[in-house]
Amino acid sequence: SFTASPSTITRGNASTLTWQTKNATRVVIDNAIGEVSASGSTSVAPLATTEFTLKVYGQNNQEAVCKTTVTVNEPPEVLVPECTSFTANPNTLPFGGGTSTLTWQTKNANSVSISPTFGSVEKNGSRIASIATTTIYTLTASGTGTSTVSCTTKVEVLPPVPVALTCANNVSLSVSPTSVRRGDSATLNWTTNGVTSVSFDQGVSATGLNGSFSVSPNSRTTYTMTVSDGKTSASCPVTLDVTTGG
């Protein structure tokens, strides 16, 4: 006997040739196998369909021939998964966040997942995401075997819009009294909130965020206090009247 098991393989795999002979003085298998024992087996891995011929030689030049075929099939095509599209709409949200619709399409995928939040999802679809901070979503599509592909989409949550400083909201500035005789003094008084720096004109050297400063101008004078929070600024005036008396 002369057999191949399995008789059909996928290219890259192996088949075992097995034979048994009787009254043989010499046994030879072609296809580079060569002379073998009277009975035995050997492993072969042909790259294409191959017929193996076993020749048995006996006494008085007797010869017998056996054949067996190993059919080789091409391996199945491995389809690589593709991330055809993955988008977020809208992809920008105002401070505080909101919702965005994630939409995706894949090809040749056996399974699809989205992180964070969603986990396993359908191969093509959409989800509404509730987002509080800037988030990058990653879609992973898995195909045959260990083949995977990933793609990302980003939803950005904008920082808060700076609120401009105003004299009405951030500064309390007054002069007391509001009118003096020439040669007398008055006091500037101020408090602030949400402010990081303070400066005055008219020679007032005070820089405290809250404080007071004595002034004694010779004529009606407007004092301007400039405040800043590092991003915006405001200029706040107060006027002291000066009389000549009499």
Side-chain angles (χ1 to χ4, degrees), residues 18-39:
T18 303
W19 63 93
Q20 288 184 333
T21 66
K22 188 176 181 181
N23 301 323
T25 59
R26 184 169 175 246
V27 178
V28 177
I29 301 176
D30 65 356
N31 289 304
I33 296 176
E35 188 167 343
V36 295
S37 59
S39 297

Side-chain angles (χ1 to χ4, degrees), residues 200-216:
F200 286 88
D201 62 359
Q202 303 294 353
V204 177
S205 59
T207 58
L209 301 183
N210 304 288
S212 61
F213 192 87
S214 180
V215 293
S216 181

Side-chain angles (χ1 to χ4, degrees), residues 8 13 17 24 30 56 63 66 80 87 96 101 105-107 119 150 167 194 198-200 204 209 216 221 235 238 244:
T8 300
N13 294 334
L17 303 180
D30 65 356
V56 180
E63 181 180 314
C66 300
V80 178
T87 61
T101 299
Q105 289 186 328
T106 66
K107 186 177 179 182
S150 294
C167 296
V198 168
S199 64
F200 286 88
V204 177
L209 301 183
S216 181
T221 302
S235 295
V238 66
T244 59

Side-chain angles (χ1 to χ4, degrees), residues 128-149:
I128 296 176
S130 296
I131 301 165
T133 59
T134 296
T135 303
I136 297 176
Y137 291 92
T138 300
L139 180 148
T140 301
S142 300
T144 304
T146 59
S147 60
T148 62
V149 66

